[in-house]
Amino acid sequence: MNRPLIAGNWKMYKSIDETVNLINTIKAGIHAATDVDVVVCPPFTVLAAASEALRDSRIDLGAQDMYFETEGAFTGEISPLMLKDVGCRYVILGHSERRTLFKETDELVNKKVLAALKFSFIPIVCIGETLEEREARRAFEVVKQQFERSLANLDPEEMERIVIAYEPVWAIGTGRTATPEQAEQMHTYIRRLLHEKCGEEMAQKVRILYGGSVKPDNIAQLMGKPNVDGALVGGASIKAESFIQIVLNSIILESQEEQKK
Ligand code: PGA
């Protein structure tokens, strides 16, 4: 059983003051939750303030995107070195909003993943089908293609360092969560793809997060599934109360642990 990981994707929200307040409240609220890894991914403009507020805490800092070049004439982009400099350990890559709204391709995501690994980040690589694709019964095919292309050219040692987030696009920000069974079905499939790519031992070690309308009241059921290792949380991560509850409710009870085996 992998150690649970809860990551908050703040998207394009929060000022510097709001960031510091939110982080201080989260820190206090999850103080006792030592059996779960927690990451917050605020916007670029508040990363420095977040980094400072997270000093001496167990909560890690992540970014929501990153360019693959280290420096140069790339107006508007942020490099791995800059994210290192500000104290990021994680980086979300290939989020569906980047893929859909900003036309990011699997090939671009792959370059970013390789760069992130080169600079020792833990990339949270997002994959997931749209509603149209699910209704056309193409969900597995789409996820397989994104998996293979976004994670091309990674050696087994690098595969071990990634986190995968399965985020069905139809569940993001819609309040329409995948059922725990739907999530488990796709997570099992992703685990099989990992197995084919890098063998059973490695496949078991890679954490697969679920994302899409995760809330305090559905996290426990999702976490009860054997192949769900955590969550990537959007909307509910920018309110202290709901994020704290998600972190606390994500901790697997012993009774659930038995079922997971
Ligand atoms: P949501 O977003 O929790 O608001 O659905 C998830 C995400 O975009 O990562």
Side-chain angles (χ1 to χ4, degrees), residues 40-148:
V40 291
C41 304
F44 293 129
T45 49
V46 300
L47 283 175
S51 186
E52 183 61 34
L54 289 172
R55 197 182 285 255
D56 301 323
S57 98
R58 281 191 320 103
I59 304 172
D60 277 311
L61 185 63
Q64 298 172 22
D65 186 26
M66 183 195 85
Y67 198 51
F68 60 85
E69 295 283 2
T70 48
E71 62 178 7
F74 303 103
T75 304
E77 293 297 323
I78 300 285
S79 91
L81 293 178
M82 294 165 179
L83 295 184
K84 270 267 119 98
D85 199 26
V86 78
C88 288
R89 184 158 180 241
Y90 288 77
V91 57
I92 299 173
L93 296 173
H95 188 278
S96 70
E97 283 150 20
R98 301 241 32 108
R99 292 177 185 265
T100 320
L101 302 171
F102 304 101
K103 309 287 172 256
E104 285 200 11
T105 60
D106 288 325
E107 289 66 33
L108 178 60
V109 174
N110 182 234
K111 284 186 181 168
K112 293 182 175 188
V113 172
L114 290 167
L117 289 164
K118 187 170 153 204
F119 286 93
S120 306
F121 289 99
I122 303 174
I124 302 177
V125 186
C126 304
I127 53 180
E129 81 286 357
T130 61
L131 184 58
E132 214 183 0
E133 289 160 345
R134 176 158 282 257
E135 284 176 345
R137 298 183 181 280
R138 291 186 54 235
F140 291 90
E141 171 196 332
V142 168
V143 164
K144 181 176 190 205
Q145 181 170 317
Q146 289 178 347
F147 174 95
E148 281 172 355

